Amino acid sequence: MLANDQIEPGFENPAIDAQRVFRAVMEGWARPGQLVDVSGFGASTVGIDHASAAVALTLVDADTPTYLAPSAERAAPWLRFHCGCPILEASEKASFVFGSAKELTDLSRFAHGSAMEPELGARVIAAVDSLESGDAYLLTGPGVDAEQRISISGLPDALLEARTKLRRHFPAGVDFVFVAGSRLVCLPRTTLIQKES
């Protein structure tokens, strides 16, 4: 937020920037584990980092109820102004969830959809410390060529354990976008992730 409670700007060129970020995020969904850079689009705010803000400006609107974990609550005025999204007090009915991965480990609190309506599962935008260093993880599944290794710092083991337990309800579940600074990695529910020892 700026001085005098002014709302920080969103995209500098909303139509063009939203298209660029949308294509980048769709590429990330199609190729899980691929590091996607969404810098240079002018999105910034207090409470969520650049990549989270870019995703919000591109995918969140008045029809996507949103929940903000405590680390992201300061972004509520900015999100209401730029996206028009309802900010929910509870997470169970949210289409989008923003916060730190460390506070988003209880996946039972989020919408999972169902076998008939898997698209109703939440999209969780989880901030981590780094997507370029840290623990090594092995990804397999649709969109991954054989297998792929990525590095993430600040991804709690409890979150991965909860995600693994959700797989017994597939195709219901939640989809993740891990963000750090201006970079993101998509992890749809179809992707298996395993921490390497």
Side-chain angles (χ1 to χ4, degrees), residues 1-2 5 10 41 56 65 105 127 141 147 149 157 185-186:
M1 301 286 284
L2 300 176
D5 293 328
F41 300 119
T105 58
E147 60 185 34
R149 285 173 174 79
D157 291 340
V185 166
C186 296

Side-chain angles (χ1 to χ4, degrees), residues 9-74:
F11 287 142
E12 293 175 2
N13 189 324
I16 292 174
D17 291 344
Q19 290 175 11
R20 289 177 183 169
V21 173
F22 182 80
R23 285 195 298 270
V25 173
M26 290 303 104
E27 178 71 12
W29 282 122
R31 300 179 185 278
Q34 177 175 296
L35 193 61
V36 176
D37 193 324
V38 292
S39 62
F41 300 119
S44 64
T45 188
V46 173
I48 54 177
D49 59 16
H50 186 96
S52 295
V55 169
L57 288 170
T58 305
L59 301 179
V60 175
D61 59 25
D63 295 322
T64 50
T66 299
Y67 173 77
L68 303 177
S71 67
E73 286 177 345
R74 291 173 59 199

Side-chain angles (χ1 to χ4, degrees), residues 1-194:
M1 301 286 284
L2 300 176
N4 301 321
D5 293 328
Q6 293 178 333
I7 300 292
E8 289 187 16
F11 287 142
E12 293 175 2
N13 189 324
I16 292 174
D17 291 344
Q19 290 175 11
R20 289 177 183 169
V21 173
F22 182 80
R23 285 195 298 270
V25 173
M26 290 303 104
E27 178 71 12
W29 282 122
R31 300 179 185 278
Q34 177 175 296
L35 193 61
V36 176
D37 193 324
V38 292
S39 62
F41 300 119
S44 64
T45 188
V46 173
I48 54 177
D49 59 16
H50 186 96
S52 295
V55 169
L57 288 170
T58 305
L59 301 179
V60 175
D61 59 25
D63 295 322
T64 50
T66 299
Y67 173 77
L68 303 177
S71 67
E73 286 177 345
R74 291 173 59 199
W78 186 87
L79 287 167
R80 285 192 188 101
F81 179 82
H82 287 290
C83 304
C85 59
I87 306 294
L88 304 183
E89 293 293 324
S91 58
E92 290 79 7
K93 295 184 179 180
S95 298
F96 280 82
V97 174
F98 291 85
S100 164
K102 296 173 183 175
E103 60 190 343
L104 300 176
T105 58
D106 183 3
L107 301 187
S108 67
R109 299 170 44 214
F110 307 136
H112 300 155
S114 66
M116 297 299 292
E117 296 179 302
E119 71 278 5
L120 297 182
R123 279 74 175 168
V124 179
I125 317 303
V128 295
D129 297 330
S130 175
L131 291 169
E132 299 178 88
S133 63
D135 295 319
Y137 296 89
L138 178 66
L139 304 183
T140 56
V144 179
D145 292 333
E147 60 185 34
Q148 181 169 343
R149 285 173 174 79
I150 61 173
S151 296
I152 305 178
S153 176
L155 180 57
D157 291 340
L159 191 153
L160 293 185
E161 291 167 6
R163 187 178 181 274
T164 299
K165 289 178 182 177
L166 270 185
R167 286 197 58 80
R168 65 176 175 258
H169 302 294
F170 184 84
V174 298
D175 300 304
F176 279 89
V177 179
F178 295 113
V179 298
S182 63
R183 297 187 174 185
L184 61 86
V185 166
C186 296
L187 196 72
R189 68 193 74 175
T190 55
T191 304
L192 300 176
I193 179 170
Q194 182 177 1

